[in-house]
Amino acid sequence: GGDDVLDGGAAGMLVDVRSADKIAHAALGLLGSPEQLLQLAQAGWQRAHFFTVNKMVDTYLQEYALTVN
């Protein structure tokens, strides 16, 4: 899920998209903390490389091989 993609919050923030107040609170919090914003941006960029198409295909093939064998 989303929490896994964001590495438990280390690579980004999960915010309820149905709540403008929560989105605004999160955005203002990051704007008020440039250090945290930079840290999340860098961690998110690094985390994104974990989800390449090749890695996802390899994972699916490994799972498929486990179910077939």
Side-chain angles (χ1 to χ4, degrees):
D3 194 49
D4 292 333
V5 172
L6 297 177
D7 198 20
M13 301 172 73
L14 275 180
V15 179
D16 184 355
V17 298
R18 298 167 294 192
S19 173
D21 289 338
K22 290 180 182 180
I23 294 169
H25 180 74
L28 290 173
L30 288 174
L31 289 173
S33 178
E35 300 84 17
Q36 183 184 15
L37 177 60
L38 181 60
Q39 181 182 9
L40 285 177
Q42 289 173 338
W45 181 253
Q46 290 174 348
R47 185 76 175 148
H49 295 297
F50 180 76
F51 297 97
T52 66
V53 171
N54 289 338
K55 287 184 180 181
M56 290 172 38
V57 169
D58 288 344
T59 300
Y60 281 120
L61 290 174
Q62 289 171 7
E63 293 296 321
Y64 180 75
L66 290 174
T67 59
V68 172
N69 295 330

